[in-house]
Amino acid sequence: MIKFIYISLFTLILFTGCSTRQYYEPEDTSNFDIKTNDLSSNIIDLNTDGATLENFEYISKEGILKNLKPNFKFLNFQEDTILAADDNASIYIKNDTIDKTLSFDKNIISASKSSNVLAFSSNDNSITLYDIEKEQTLFKEYLKYSSINNIKIANPLFLNSLVLYPTLDGKIVIVDTKTKAIVKTLNIDPNSDINNIIFLEKIDDSLVAATTSKIFSFVNGAPNIKEIDVQNIILKDQFIYVATLDGQIIKYNKELQEIASKKFKFAKIHALAIGEYLYALESQEYLIRIDKEFKNAKVYDFTFDNEEKTIAIDNKIYFEDKYIILK
């Protein structure tokens, strides 16, 4: 009898959860008539700056990079150099003059390069500065271990002689490459359960960072923080565009002052892309187009599998084994 009651209660909870789930339903949609292009294979891995295909070609801000080392996953593309990591604590570095694999003691989850200096973070939340030519560690620091992280992990950012490391425990650690020492630590979101830095970029001399629950900017020496559930975030023309978990799409200036916003009830945004318009890919097979003044929005029917990995870079959206170029 007790067992029957438990089963009945479980069934009731499951049924109630499913029956109350709500989805985005636009009032009016249009047919989508932009050409769909083929990728060479499916996307198998994503980060904030690109993706890895099943045939180990890479998607980056420069487009599709071909004929690269198997079993390595894309991390970054800088100074015409590919940075990729495998699951055995190695990093692959390739450009016109370098083609080498370096091995370390922990798996590498993010990396950036400036000249012969490599800055990378590992899955134990350690940060390292490394001389590629001499194959020598210049600096290393172990930070607070974080076991639960969002899959979007930002890469380090070089700013002149400084390198900014986005950490897994909600901080940005700034290291001077000349003195090989930490000069400052910015606590962005140290208290959330999932608080790794998922976004780190600069607008001119300003800095923008985000976790899944906060946006941070540093402008003219002054910090700005906005608490918000971040689903996606992109920068364009000194503006910050954010899609939230509750279906909002918001436009901020770099001081995090809200310029405009639109709410799409129950929408779940998989990716944001931007060209002449801002585009949001929605989970129920819709593509939302918003003009940059946020005065008008148009919704297109757009067929894709929302269980497949998807990434948007600038005005391109890559999904499954296809991609589109938006105007």
Side-chain angles (χ1 to χ4, degrees), residues 57-290:
E57 293 179 359
Y58 301 152
I59 298 169
S60 76
K61 293 179 181 178
E62 302 300 317
I64 301 169
L65 308 169
K66 298 180 179 294
N67 302 319
L68 298 165
K69 194 167 185 175
N71 301 317
F72 279 75
K73 295 175 182 178
F74 177 85
L75 293 177
N76 206 347
F77 184 77
Q78 282 187 314
E79 299 182 335
D80 296 323
T81 303
I82 275 288
L83 302 174
D86 68 2
D87 294 327
N88 296 305
S90 295
I91 187 166
Y92 177 55
I93 306 169
K94 178 180 172 60
N95 59 28
D96 289 341
T97 59
I98 300 172
D99 189 345
K100 66 166 60 179
T101 302
L102 301 170
S103 296
F104 298 92
D105 58 347
K106 295 292 182 180
N107 287 349
I108 295 170
I109 56 175
S110 65
S112 296
K113 173 185 173 294
S114 179
S115 187
N116 68 317
V117 176
L118 179 69
F120 66 86
S121 299
S122 301
N123 62 353
D124 62 349
N125 205 23
S126 62
I127 57 176
T128 303
L129 201 62
Y130 191 84
D131 190 308
I132 298 170
E133 292 180 0
K134 296 178 181 178
E135 297 191 9
Q136 177 182 349
T137 299
L138 305 174
F139 167 87
K140 186 165 187 172
E141 182 76 12
Y142 292 91
L143 305 170
K144 181 182 176 183
Y145 181 72
S146 176
S147 60
I148 305 175
N149 304 296
N150 187 283
I151 62 169
K152 296 177 182 178
I153 297 174
N155 286 307
L157 180 65
F158 280 92
L159 293 176
N160 299 319
S161 65
L162 302 177
V163 57
L164 283 62
Y165 288 90
T167 74
L168 298 180
D169 60 335
K171 301 180 180 68
I172 297 173
V173 177
I174 304 174
V175 175
D176 191 320
T177 60
K178 294 180 179 178
T179 62
K180 315 296 188 298
I182 295 174
V183 295
K184 192 174 184 62
T185 298
L186 303 174
N187 289 297
I188 308 301
D189 195 5
N191 298 319
S192 297
D193 292 330
I194 302 175
N195 59 357
N196 62 282
I197 306 297
I198 63 171
F199 184 88
L200 179 62
E201 289 191 23
K202 63 185 181 71
I203 304 176
D204 299 327
D205 295 328
S206 303
L207 179 70
V208 178
T211 67
T212 56
S213 58
K214 283 185 181 178
I215 309 171
F216 170 90
S217 73
F218 198 73
V219 182
N220 297 325
N224 309 280
I225 294 180
K226 181 78 65 176
E227 293 193 10
I228 188 170
D229 290 324
V230 179
Q231 181 76 2
N232 291 276
I233 177 170
I234 58 174
L235 302 185
K236 183 70 173 181
D237 298 332
Q238 301 203 10
F239 292 104
I240 305 162
Y241 299 89
V242 178
T244 69
L245 289 177
D246 64 352
Q248 292 187 82
I249 299 177
I250 308 170
K251 179 180 181 179
Y252 295 103
N253 63 17
K254 58 187 179 181
E255 288 84 10
L256 300 186
Q257 297 167 330
E258 184 176 319
I259 305 300
S261 67
K262 283 192 174 294
K263 178 70 178 287
F264 301 91
K265 192 174 182 179
F266 305 125
K268 181 180 178 182
I269 307 301
H270 278 259
L272 289 176
I274 194 161
E276 295 178 15
Y277 295 88
L278 177 67
Y279 293 87
L281 184 64
E282 204 280 326
S283 66
Q284 298 305 299
E285 299 189 344
Y286 299 113
L287 185 65
I288 302 168
R289 189 188 77 178
I290 308 171

Side-chain angles (χ1 to χ4, degrees), residues 294-313:
F294 276 56
K295 292 180 179 178
N296 300 295
K298 189 172 184 178
V299 181
Y300 296 95
D301 294 306
F302 184 77
T303 301
F304 77 105
D305 184 350
N306 63 25
E307 297 297 324
E308 295 282 345
K309 290 181 171 60
T310 303
I311 186 171
I313 301 177

